[in-house]
Every structure is written in C-alpha cells, then in structure tokens.
C-alpha cells in the first residue's frame, strides 16, 4: 500500500475506512479496477481495493501539483503521463477520461474524510 504506507495512516484505520468506503462506492471501485487491472490480475490480487485506492490517492496528489497547490517535482511530468495513460487506455473521448479522473479524485477525498472522522 504505497501511498497508504506513509506515517500519516494507521493500518487498522485504513482497513476500517476502506471497508466503509467500499460499501457505498462498490461500483466506482469496480469500474476503476476494470480499467487499471486485467481480469487475470484482478482475480490473482486479493488486495485489489487497496491498489485502486492507492491509484486514487496518486490522482489526488497529482491534481495538487497540476493546480499549483503543491510544488512541481522532477518526477511530476512522468507521474502525470503515467496516470493519464493508465486511465486513457482504450478510451475514445476526453469525457471518458475526465469521468475516471473524477471518480479517482472523489474516492480519494471520501477516503480521507472517512479516515479523519474515525476515532
């Protein structure tokens, strides 16, 4: 859990928050997992929800850079291109890509809000 492995998060609270978020956002997780992971990888990966959540946290973090809220790092262009290529694969319009970016961003924000509210 790359983004979740920072000192900012406690493992027990992560799992509790993820369970709560997944109950309400099952469809969003499934839609993103189908874009990010192959069927074979999805079946072989028991922690696919954590993978999707980490991707969402990456999107939110990248947005902070894109919007000027965070400084630009040497790896920022590579990160942005990687995120866009992962989501944009086989898409036929910017609307489809923007939809997936919005899903990712919103899941990240909701995760952080639920995490913050848990005692």
């Amino acid at each position: 859990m790359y983004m979740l492995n920072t000192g900012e998060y406690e493992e027990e609270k992560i799992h509790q928050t993820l369970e709560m978020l997944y109950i309400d956002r099952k469809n969003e997780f499934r839609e993103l997992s189908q874009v990010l992971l192959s069927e074979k990888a999805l079946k072989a990966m028991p922690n696919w929800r954590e993978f999707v959540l980490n991707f969402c946290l990456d999107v939110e973090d990248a947005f902070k850079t894109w919007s000027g809220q965070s400084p630009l790092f040497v790896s920022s262009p590579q990160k942005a291109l990687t995120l866009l290529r992962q989501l944009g694969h086989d898409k036929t319009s910017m609307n489809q890509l923007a939809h997936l970016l919005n899903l990712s961003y919103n899941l990240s924000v909701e995760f952080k809000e639920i995490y913050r509210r848990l005692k």
Side-chain angles (χ1 to χ4, degrees):
M1 292 192 285
Y2 146 76
M3 287 291 282
L4 296 173
N5 275 339
T6 64
E8 184 179 347
Y9 299 110
E10 298 170 20
E11 190 170 342
E12 188 176 316
K13 274 179 76 174
I14 290 170
H15 292 294
Q16 187 178 4
T17 304
L18 186 55
E19 287 301 317
M20 293 173 73
L21 182 61
Y22 186 70
I23 289 169
D24 289 337
R25 299 289 179 235
K26 189 178 296 188
N27 292 334
E28 288 87 344
F29 272 93
R30 189 162 289 121
E31 184 175 350
L32 284 170
S33 71
Q34 290 171 348
V35 170
L36 299 172
L37 301 165
S38 67
E39 278 296 316
K40 185 178 178 182
L42 194 55
K43 290 178 183 176
M45 185 182 258
N47 60 341
W48 66 271
R49 293 183 298 176
E50 288 90 346
F51 179 85
V52 170
L53 179 59
N54 271 314
F55 182 85
C56 294
L57 292 168
D58 270 340
V59 168
E60 183 190 3
D61 188 54
F63 177 74
K64 288 178 183 176
T65 302
W66 302 339
S67 63
Q69 298 172 36
S70 293
L72 191 63
F73 296 104
V74 173
S75 62
S76 295
Q78 181 68 31
K79 183 177 181 178
L81 182 58
T82 301
L83 293 172
L84 293 173
R85 283 187 58 105
Q86 285 179 300
L87 290 178
H89 185 69
D90 290 335
K91 300 298 173 270
T92 57
S93 73
M94 283 296 292
N95 288 335
Q96 292 174 333
L97 179 60
H99 169 71
L100 293 172
L101 284 169
N102 285 331
L103 276 182
S104 300
Y105 180 83
N106 290 334
L107 281 176
S108 177
V109 169
E110 284 186 49
F111 170 81
K112 287 181 176 180
E113 184 61 27
I114 293 169
Y115 185 90
R116 186 184 65 78
R117 291 181 181 193
L118 284 178
K119 300 284 180 206

